[in-house]
Amino acid sequence: MNNAIILCVAAYFAGALPVGLVVARVWKGIDVRDHGSGNIGATNVFRVVGPIAGTIVFVVDVLKGLWPPLVAVCIGANSWWQIAAAMSAIIGHNFSIFIGFKGGKGISTSLGALFGISWKVGLSAWTLWGILLAATHYVSVGSIAASISLVPLTMIFYPGDTARLTFAAVAGLFSLYRHRANIVRLKNGTESKFGKKKESDIASN
């Protein structure tokens, strides 16, 4: 149990590392919070800094969510501790101690956590996200739909698994909460589409 608690603390601090902020500063010498949507996630970095930088942020943010549940398995922690470790990383990303308990929207880190806990759900949700992004050009549409899909996908692929279902419900609701402003903008028709590189862009990630 002590090892599992230490893992959760480590997962939070690793998740809290503001990768998008660091990459934007190193790559372009800017504070990405002052550009585009002001978000430190991969989508805004992609828009403001460029596709290579955005891809780097995406990959690292995914890894931040992936390693905690995998390590939890390696140390023999049960399913609930695996979930706790994954959620610690997501919370760290969304509420980073390093930048005043602010952060991204957790989609990339949640995807990594899903691959570590329920890879079939993670792959299916990611596929849905990609299809909707291609169809609508809205990152937020794909992210919101993927979040809603987590519970039914978990029930399909892991029937009767209470721990995984709990994670799907909590992670999905958390993501929807973080996207509440995007939902309003989608209703109002003011949400920006992916691929536009403007200072006024409002991204989602």
Side-chain angles (χ1 to χ4, degrees):
M1 182 175 176
N2 288 338
N3 288 338
I5 293 174
I6 293 171
L7 173 60
C8 289
V9 173
Y12 170 82
F13 280 99
L17 293 173
V19 178
L21 185 64
V22 173
V23 168
R25 281 180 173 170
V26 172
W27 204 277
K28 206 171 182 179
I30 62 171
D31 187 330
V32 74
R33 294 172 296 182
D34 296 330
H35 301 269
S37 68
N39 194 276
I40 66 168
T43 300
N44 197 41
V45 174
F46 192 105
R47 288 175 184 267
V48 173
V49 183
I52 297 176
T55 300
I56 291 172
V57 174
F58 170 74
V59 171
V60 176
D61 282 350
V62 168
L63 292 175
K64 290 196 301 185
L66 177 62
W67 74 265
L70 295 183
V71 171
V73 172
C74 291
I75 65 175
N78 64 33
S79 297
W80 293 105
W81 279 113
Q82 294 168 30
I83 289 169
M87 284 304 305
S88 295
I90 295 169
I91 292 171
H93 177 81
N94 288 358
F95 304 102
S96 171
I97 192 173
F98 302 118
I99 50 175
F101 295 98
K102 296 180 180 179
K105 295 184 178 178
I107 292 298
S108 300
T109 304
S110 296
L111 176 63
L114 278 169
F115 278 126
I117 292 173
S118 313
W119 71 267
K120 294 177 183 178
V121 175
L123 183 59
S124 300
W126 193 21
T127 300
L128 175 62
W129 176 88
I131 291 171
L132 289 175
L133 173 60
T136 68
H137 301 288
Y138 289 115
V139 175
S140 56
V141 169
S143 299
I144 291 165
S147 301
I148 294 171
S149 76
L150 297 186
V151 167
L153 285 172
T154 301
M155 295 175 70
I156 292 170
F157 289 118
Y158 303 96
D161 192 325
T162 304
R164 283 189 171 99
L165 185 61
T166 299
F167 174 75
V170 173
L173 288 172
F174 196 18
S175 176
L176 290 174
Y177 173 76
R178 296 290 287 175
H179 280 85
R180 61 195 185 281
N182 300 87
I183 294 171
V184 172
R185 290 194 294 269
L186 285 167
K187 289 180 178 179
N188 295 336
T190 56
E191 180 77 318
S192 293
K193 292 188 175 183
F194 185 70
K196 295 180 180 179
K197 209 174 176 184
K198 302 184 299 183
E199 282 295 301
S200 59
D201 276 342
I202 302 174
S204 164
N205 197 33

